[in-house]
Amino acid sequence: MSRGWDDLRADLLARIRAREWPPGALIPAEEQLALAYGVARATVNRAVQALAEAGVVERRKRAGTRVATLPVRKARLDIPVIRREVEGRGQTYAHRLLTQRREVLPAGPAARLGLAPGVPALRLETLHLAEGRPYAYELRWLNPAQLPPDLPDFAVLSANEWLVATVPFVSGDLVFGAEPASRAEAAALDTDPGAPLLVIERTTRGLSGPITFVRLCHPPGHRVTMHL
Amino acid sequence: MSRGWDDLRADLLARIRAREWPPGALIPAEEQLALAYGVARATVNRAVQALAEAGVVERRKRAGTRVATLPVRKARLDIPVIRREVEGRGQTYAHRLLTQRREVLPAGPAARLGLAPGVPALRLETLHLAEGRPYAYELRWLNPAQLPPDLPDFAVLSANEWLVATVPFVSGDLVFGAEPASRAEAAALDTDPGAPLLVIERTTRGLSGPITFVRLCHPPGHRVTMHL
DNA sequence: GCGGCTATTATGTATAGACATATTAGGCGA
DNA sequence: TCGCCTAATATGTCTATACATAATAGCCGC
């Protein structure tokens, strides 16, 4: 039954899900669980700690461990590089660099990056293709101040893959929204203007400043799945 | 400098981010790190294990620990109950139960729940309001086979809040998409038919079967934010 | 040189014991 | 009775040691 703290974690989770200890209730102390399962307290600790990280229980010293009430369900989204995402479905991947030019940063991306509008920036438009059909239309703004001086040929190596392999990132955020396709987006994605697009915007920051802001538009019907 | 494995984890992460060990490179073995930091190997293990869970490094026995190439970035989304979500922004929350009736399950929701189309189900339409304005239009299908016989008045207590407090859930998934507003959705959300809606569909399963399928439509401009 | 077996090595995990720390319950004094 | 202090207690963490497991490196026979 039990070989490893992860099995213990799974067993405790099952008992919590089965309402053996209802939300808000205290579960037995580590020492008692250790005794009951015939393992060391450190093992119980590791298991319960993992449950706490997952948000299933809440722990406080002396007060004990209790099952979380109104469990804020945490969903985890794995964001692979787009090429992997497509290839993971067994489809062929390709991308086309549509435009690449230096341009001053407009207000929208500037606000998201925390930079002043009007500073110089590198602007890339890329179309990602799966099985030869449009998969995503990408508009990316790069902050040259945070990049190495010699840039690669983005027509060959996608900007995203180059970035993750080259520039250390520290934090970032991700925003989901739905927006009507502009004329340019509709043309790129081979759909109609005004069609609902799933838009994913990503901001990435490094140690010493913002690195890039990406806006990914997916054609109608595209879905992003997460697991609870 | 070092009090606790989490500080060690943070320090190692900083060194990785600083490219001291570039992506794909091996980092020193646990024993060497333990020696270098003057801690026990178990402490190093706990720290590196946390980094591995976060996807920063990849570990294989005998082969050692290496910095992840193409790091699959993991974003975590906290999904609170809608009431909390709204109140958390300092806005007033209200909801209106639009319809509640027993109906046979249509093909779409049936497929998502893993049930046969045509089985009896409970169908709820709810409008969530923030600050008196439409926040989300919810269409929910409940599987009566998995519910207690006596249901509450969903006009008072929202179905979601009642569920999380009453029915044990085991797993589920979450799908994001963008869809044009139907006439009914447009009317409920006070927008135009065809307007792009952010649609979030959630399936929830319990120990002995599927519990509920929810489709949440958010009005144009709505955004969902996650942090990396 | 080649294929397969074995020794080595790094991680995975467990254990017992110890001390640290936060928090609460209860006692004690004003 | 109220407020403060202290002792008890549950978790947090570390150490040292041990054995398990997986994967590689290298040896050995052919």
Side-chain angles (χ1 to χ4, degrees):
Chain A
M1 183 208 274
S2 67
R3 200 153 64 252
W5 58 266
D6 198 60
D7 287 327
L8 176 54
R9 184 199 58 77
D11 192 63
L12 291 173
L13 180 59
R15 293 173 74 177
I16 289 170
R17 292 270 157 88
R19 289 286 195 275
E20 181 170 332
W21 305 294
L26 278 172
I27 72 175
E30 292 188 356
E31 225 158 345
Q32 296 175 44
L33 286 173
L35 193 67
Y37 279 91
V39 298
R41 188 170 78 87
T43 306
V44 175
N45 182 284
R46 188 66 184 81
V48 179
Q49 209 171 79
L51 288 175
E53 263 172 49
V56 176
V57 299
E58 283 163 6
R59 321 194 74 186
R60 275 167 59 216
K61 299 193 182 191
R62 163 68 190 171
T65 300
R66 52 184 68 240
V67 179
T69 54
L70 272 201
V72 174
R73 293 175 185 179
K74 294 176 203 279
R76 238 185 32 188
L77 174 64
D78 294 340
I79 315 160
V81 166
I82 290 190
R83 178 168 62 81
R84 293 259 170 128
E85 193 176 330
V86 171
E87 289 175 350
R89 308 181 177 195
Q91 302 182 312
T92 61
Y93 170 76
H95 66 100
R96 281 211 302 269
L97 180 62
L98 302 179
T99 70
Q100 167 174 358
R101 58 174 183 265
R102 299 193 170 272
E103 202 171 283
V104 296
L105 200 61
R112 303 295 287 285
L113 285 167
L115 290 173
V119 302
L122 186 59
R123 179 187 189 273
L124 299 176
E125 269 180 303
T126 309
L127 185 63
H128 299 270
L129 303 160
E131 219 59 67
R133 299 171 56 81
Y135 182 81
Y137 166 75
E138 172 185 315
L139 177 57
R140 177 186 294 269
W141 297 89
L142 289 157
N143 178 14
Q146 296 296 319
L147 301 178
D150 50 330
L151 304 178
D153 180 2
F154 290 125
V156 178
L157 179 64
S158 100
N160 192 25
E161 292 191 45
W162 174 73
L163 278 172
V164 299
T166 313
V167 184
F169 96 101
V170 171
S171 65
D173 51 55
L174 204 69
V175 177
F176 285 84
E179 292 183 27
S182 70
R183 216 184 326 264
E185 289 160 351
L189 292 173
D190 195 19
T191 185
D192 301 316
L197 304 181
L198 181 61
V199 177
I200 304 176
E201 293 179 342
R202 203 149 92 208
T203 311
T204 308
R205 275 171 284 274
L207 273 171
S208 46
I211 298 172
T212 186
F213 171 72
V214 191
R215 175 189 158 92
L216 273 177
C217 298
H218 291 281
H222 186 92
R223 304 170 146 240
V224 174
T225 301
M226 305 173 66
H227 295 281
L228 299 177
Chain B
M1 181 205 277
S2 67
R3 199 152 62 254
W5 59 267
D6 198 59
D7 287 326
L8 176 54
R9 183 197 59 75
D11 192 63
L12 291 174
L13 180 59
R15 292 173 75 177
I16 290 170
R17 293 268 157 89
R19 290 286 196 274
E20 181 169 335
W21 304 295
L26 277 172
I27 72 174
E30 292 188 354
E31 225 158 343
Q32 296 176 43
L33 286 172
L35 193 67
Y37 280 91
V39 298
R41 190 171 76 90
T43 306
V44 176
N45 182 283
R46 187 67 184 83
V48 180
Q49 207 170 80
L51 288 176
E53 264 173 49
V56 176
V57 299
E58 284 165 4
R59 318 193 76 186
R60 276 167 60 215
K61 299 192 183 192
R62 162 70 189 168
T65 301
R66 51 183 69 238
V67 178
T69 53
L70 283 197
V72 174
R73 292 174 186 181
K74 291 176 188 186
R76 233 180 42 185
L77 173 64
D78 293 342
I79 315 160
V81 166
I82 289 189
R83 178 168 61 80
R84 293 258 169 135
E85 194 177 326
V86 171
E87 289 174 351
R89 308 182 178 195
Q91 301 182 312
T92 60
Y93 171 77
H95 66 100
R96 282 212 302 271
L97 181 62
L98 302 179
T99 69
Q100 168 174 359
R101 59 174 184 266
R102 298 192 171 273
E103 202 171 284
V104 296
L105 200 59
R112 303 295 287 282
L113 285 167
L115 289 173
V119 301
L122 186 59
R123 180 186 188 273
L124 299 176
E125 268 180 304
T126 309
L127 185 64
H128 299 270
L129 302 160
E131 221 54 72
R133 300 173 55 82
Y135 181 80
Y137 165 74
E138 172 186 315
L139 176 57
R140 179 185 292 269
W141 298 88
L142 289 157
N143 178 14
Q146 295 295 321
L147 300 178
D150 50 331
L151 303 180
D153 181 359
F154 290 124
V156 177
L157 179 64
S158 100
N160 193 23
E161 291 190 47
W162 174 73
L163 278 173
V164 299
T166 312
V167 184
F169 96 102
V170 171
S171 66
D173 50 54
L174 203 69
V175 177
F176 285 85
E179 293 183 26
S182 69
R183 216 184 326 266
E185 289 160 352
L189 292 173
D190 196 17
T191 184
D192 301 315
L197 305 181
L198 181 62
V199 177
I200 304 175
E201 294 180 341
R202 205 150 91 208
T203 312
T204 308
R205 276 172 281 274
L207 273 172
S208 46
I211 298 172
T212 185
F213 170 74
V214 190
R215 177 189 156 91
L216 273 177
C217 298
H218 291 281
H222 186 91
R223 305 172 145 237
V224 174
T225 301
M226 305 173 67
H227 294 281
L228 298 177

